[in-house]
Amino acid sequence: DWDIGTTSNWINQGTTQPDAYYDPDSVLFDDGGAAFAPVVNLPGLLKPGSITVSSSSNYTFSGPGGFGNLGVAATLTKDGAGTLVLATTTTNNYLGATILSNGTIQVGAGGTAGSLGPSPVSIGAGATLRYFRSDAAYTVPNTLSGSGQQVFQGPGATGQGAYVISGLNTNFVGA
């Protein structure tokens, strides 16, 4: 579980010693952690200073929690060839950008849970932003930029017709 102040399942980068998470710590998920906990349960609302997933392995953030904000522009950065699945049931409302440099961010795991924060999303060349939800209709509110690709899927959806893109996307040149 990614809990607040309870479990020492983090490594403090300053000392390399086990540590507990506290809001607004900045967190890093890399290849080392994926071997132990590729599915990360968020039991409640978390307010990290920043979230970086830099891994060639896959991670899934799931559970009843989500990412909130502390009035600071916390970012979600995805790098590395792996996939990050956002499947929490609480709507994410972190205020910083989502930066997808490499690999894939997948919104949802085939159900109706999973979201990005409401801020802009940058999709780098060769990176993929995938929506995999079962909603009859799902609105994508984010402003997109970059040259990567968006993919729309879902067991209850009929492709792109079930998704509504409402953000201003004049700087998005991807597929």
Side-chain angles (χ1 to χ4, degrees):
D1 285 357
W2 182 352
D3 53 44
I4 299 174
T6 303
T7 309
S8 293
N9 54 359
W10 296 90
I11 300 295
N12 186 317
Q13 290 182 338
T15 65
T16 67
Q17 297 297 311
D19 200 357
Y21 167 83
Y22 293 93
D23 290 337
D25 287 350
S26 291
V27 298
L28 168 66
F29 292 86
D30 60 15
D31 285 328
F36 301 104
V39 177
V40 181
N41 179 49
L42 281 64
L45 187 64
L46 301 168
K47 299 175 182 178
S50 67
I51 307 159
T52 300
V53 179
S54 182
S55 179
S56 58
S57 298
N58 299 334
Y59 277 97
T60 298
F61 294 164
S62 63
F67 299 112
N69 67 72
L70 292 168
V72 297
T75 58
L76 170 61
T77 302
K78 169 65 183 81
D79 197 11
T83 297
L84 170 61
V85 177
L86 299 174
T88 56
T89 55
T90 297
T91 299
N92 291 313
N93 66 354
Y94 58 92
L95 296 178
T98 300
I99 302 165
L100 176 51
S101 299
N102 197 351
T104 300
I105 292 179
Q106 179 176 302
V107 179
T112 58
S115 65
L116 293 168
S119 297
V121 178
S122 172
I123 308 171
T128 301
L129 177 59
R130 176 185 301 128
Y131 293 90
F132 187 54
R133 296 179 52 107
S134 64
D135 311 75
Y138 179 73
T139 299
V140 179
N142 308 87
T143 298
L144 303 176
S145 65
S147 59
Q149 67 174 333
Q150 278 189 108
V151 176
F152 299 91
Q153 309 177 267
T158 55
Q160 292 184 4
Y163 292 88
V164 177
I165 302 172
S166 66
L168 177 63
N169 298 305
T170 56
N171 291 323
F172 181 67
V173 296

